[in-house]
Amino acid sequence: MDRQTGGEADWPGRGALYDLAGCLRFYSRLPVPQLPGEPDPHRSPDFTTLPRMLPLAGLILALPAALILAAAWWIGLGPFLAATLAVTVMVVATGALHEDGLADVADGFGGGTTRERRLEIMRDSRIGAFGGAALVLALALRIGALATLLDRTGHAAATALLLAAAVSRLAALAPMVLLPPARPGGLSASVGRPNRASLTVALGICLVVALFAVPLGLPVHGVALMILFAGLAALALTRLARRKIGGQTGDVIGACQQVSEIAALLALVAAVAD
């Protein structure tokens, strides 16, 4: 009998499944029940191992949006409405968690003149002009990219949405891996940092998703560009965070996911240009 699971027998993949459930709870509003033998589901997440399942969690979170995108296109709503509905579903599923991070980072980095002032602005729950503009532009870019992909690739745009969701969540780990916490007492400092094994598993899952995206309608060079540009966008924001606040926060990680997803979708749009 396994003491750590309250008497439940151990079974292969148990830890990975617990981490997947933890990812879905932490990064979304989905009602994820406690799994058999799982420790307290409301405990603080352990980011030494949890991120290994982030790409798969992103895939699951994007699946309803991808289905809505394909269905709306199939019934003739047109690319703009179909893309808008899909992005709406994504925002609802995640509780606008990453969008909130993007807005806070835009306000802090754009409105603060010192490191301390930037962190203070980022902690403020109110949205300023920089944050509002960032949200509008980010939503417009995501909707526009998906609408363009629908025009050029048809239902393969749903595959692109799934791949972008997985890749961008892996890319969003860049600040956590490369930068120290900007606030020693903040949440990002308390949850730990991904270990090498966790990152290797996450990368492997992303590569498997990318391989499956090709027979589902995406060109090989387009998939490669999505991964490349998502990574470059994450590294660029990581470098900016180092310069502006000397580290990373949860908001920086959320913003990193947004810019990486946008970069991935735009890269594919360029790859399938007429």
Side-chain angles (χ1 to χ4, degrees):
M1 305 296 282
D2 188 1
R3 295 179 182 178
Q4 292 183 335
T5 61
E8 296 287 341
D10 196 1
W11 43 275
R14 182 193 65 181
L17 188 59
Y18 291 168
D19 282 340
L20 176 60
C23 282
L24 293 173
R25 292 190 192 101
F26 189 81
Y27 285 99
S28 79
R29 295 295 180 87
L30 299 180
V32 181
Q34 184 172 2
L35 302 179
E38 184 182 12
D40 180 12
H42 304 295
R43 70 192 187 283
S44 297
D46 179 7
F47 269 77
T48 57
T49 62
L50 195 76
R52 61 180 168 169
M53 303 306 290
L54 256 180
L56 185 55
L59 198 68
I60 293 172
L61 289 175
L63 184 58
L67 293 174
I68 289 293
L69 183 72
W73 174 254
W74 183 72
I75 65 175
L77 290 186
F80 175 76
L81 287 177
T84 303
L85 285 172
V87 171
T88 300
V89 171
M90 282 291 291
V91 172
V92 171
T94 61
L97 177 67
H98 306 304
E99 288 82 1
D100 178 68
L102 177 65
D104 287 342
V105 166
D107 277 334
F109 289 9
T113 56
T114 65
R115 174 183 181 275
E116 291 71 23
R117 179 57 181 153
R118 290 173 190 130
L119 287 171
E120 181 184 352
I121 292 172
M122 290 167 66
R123 183 170 281 173
D124 192 334
S125 60
R126 295 171 293 183
I127 295 180
F130 286 105
L135 282 177
V136 171
L137 292 172
L139 291 171
L141 286 169
R142 291 163 71 191
I143 291 170
L146 286 174
T148 304
L149 288 171
L150 279 170
D151 263 339
R152 296 180 181 177
T153 68
H155 286 99
T159 304
L161 178 58
L162 293 172
L163 179 58
V167 169
S168 63
R169 280 163 177 80
L170 174 63
L173 294 175
M176 184 176 284
V177 173
L178 299 175
L179 298 178
R183 298 189 187 99
L187 177 62
S188 62
S190 65
V191 297
R193 303 171 79 173
N195 57 35
R196 182 173 298 180
S198 178
L199 292 174
T200 300
V201 172
L203 178 60
I205 292 174
C206 253
L207 292 177
V208 170
V209 174
L211 288 175
F212 274 98
V214 175
L216 291 176
L218 299 186
V220 174
H221 70 288
V223 170
L225 283 177
M226 289 180 73
I227 297 172
L228 174 62
F229 276 81
L232 291 176
L235 291 175
L237 185 58
T238 299
R239 183 176 181 180
L240 182 63
R242 184 192 299 275
R243 183 162 62 86
K244 292 289 188 179
I245 59 174
Q248 50 86 10
T249 66
D251 287 331
V252 170
I253 296 168
C256 197
Q257 186 278 325
Q258 288 284 285
V259 299
S260 297
E261 181 177 308
I262 291 169
L265 291 173
L266 292 180
L268 183 59
V269 169
V272 297
D274 295 330

